[in-house]
Amino acid sequence: MKILVVGSGGREHAICWKLSQEKNVEKIYCAPGNAGIAEIAECIDIPVTELDRLADFAEENKVNLTVVGPEVPLVMGITDVFNKRGLNVFGPNKECSQLEGSKLFSKEFMVRHNIPTAKYKEYTDLEKAKSEIDSFGYPVVVKADGLAAGKGVIIAKDKKEAIEALETIMEDKKFGDAGRLVVVEEFISGVETSILALVDKNTIVAMESAKDHKKIFELEKGPNTGGMGTFSPSTIYTDELSKKVYDEVLIKSLEGFKKDNLEFRGILFVGLMITNDGVKVLEYNCRFGDPEIQSILMRLESNLSDIMMAITEDRLSEVEIKYSDEAAVCVILASGGYPENYEKNKEITGIENLDKEIVLFHSGTKLSDGKILTNGGRVLGVCARAKDVESAANKVYENIDRIKFDKVHYRKDIGRKYEQCK
């Protein structure tokens, strides 16, 4: 079986790593890939946005399955392009991907199908948005409608900040076309978590839980990032919560897809807030969460390729999915200054000094003259598996300082108690 993985981050490295261990997978291509992926797959220099070139490659090389990692090609319609050519692809089509590509589309879907979420209103007129902003109370959430690389959500604590947020998105166009329409939401408080679900036309199955830490600094301080680390299983995702999420969110989402004739096949990422009033959905994404999937795939014992093929053929209900009872932890090494301004092209050393139990996923790296250089805000995911979360975290942190690059930054509290972080 030949598989093409589309993308270049830690998510795609984790997917390639898992596939590389499966006997039925004879060849893995990755477009465009990164320095770590190049060790286990053949990297192809095709950008993720060049959909026809990717389809040409899959056709010419008789690829059996293409796995789409990032959201941009999904929202652009890569699945539709491949399907028109009779090519097998894992990932929802363009219409379904609007659940991530448009905040308004997803909110309307939730309301239409009685899926619990925050109250909201959409605006295309800046002055009208300003005049009505007080009606939501404070703090208030202001969201750019379209894709904004995870940065298009602003929580404003008062009217001044709310108006600044509206102007930043709609007038200054900080997020480009993503801000042509804004969604303003009531602020809901509670414990934030998420779940990844496998979905085909008839079935939805939650994957093992993982806790993501988005803030750049310890104790959830500083600006949001794409994710600074995860551990699996999540300590808050109890059996009781799992059943509640399945009954109130997952099964209603699947029923909504059927009612709206949305043929969703792939991954549904559900961002959740556990409030005093119950579970509420913050957002949908249409692909594996990163770095959540890094710790989850460390625990997946079933063949990922079998699961993905079953989903493309609407056979998910026939597949038995097994996970290790052990826990996994992933800590992200980021470039100094991330998530705002940061420098690239810093040489990375010390990777060869890691213990054999450590699995290293490259998020933003490249090869240059035989050296591995930084090539993004999030650079590496340092991962380990052990009997429990604390033991896995200890393994990671025993190794993490062996990796060196200029201005490296990481959180010291992923999977650990605060006393251990000092």
Side-chain angles (χ1 to χ4, degrees), residues 137-156:
Y138 297 100
V140 65
V141 184
V142 183
K143 298 180 175 181
D145 178 60
L147 293 179
K151 297 173 183 174
V153 178
I154 300 171
I155 299 172

Side-chain angles (χ1 to χ4, degrees), residues 4 44 46 50-63 66 78 81-82 85 87:
L4 168 63
I44 309 300
I46 304 176
E50 296 195 11
L51 311 187
D52 285 313
R53 282 187 66 198
L54 290 166
D56 290 342
F57 179 88
E59 218 164 39
E60 290 161 10
N61 290 276
K62 296 181 169 53
V63 168
T66 296
I78 188 171
V81 170
F82 274 59
R85 300 202 197 184
L87 296 167

Side-chain angles (χ1 to χ4, degrees), residues 100 102-103 106-107 140-157 161-162 164-166 168-169 174-175 178-179 181-188 192 214-215 222-225 273 282-285 340:
E100 178 166 6
S102 167
K103 305 290 190 305
S106 65
K107 294 292 283 190
V140 65
V141 184
V142 183
K143 298 180 175 181
D145 178 60
L147 293 179
K151 297 173 183 174
V153 178
I154 300 171
I155 299 172
K157 69 175 185 289
E161 286 190 4
E164 284 173 358
L166 289 168
T168 295
I169 295 172
K174 182 176 180 181
F175 308 111
L181 181 148
V182 297
V183 172
V184 179
E185 284 183 2
E186 65 169 337
F187 178 81
I188 51 176
E192 192 171 345
K214 290 200 180 299
K215 298 291 187 180
N224 271 340
T225 70
M273 186 70 81
L282 297 174
E283 64 175 355
Y284 285 126
N285 293 330
E340 299 300 330

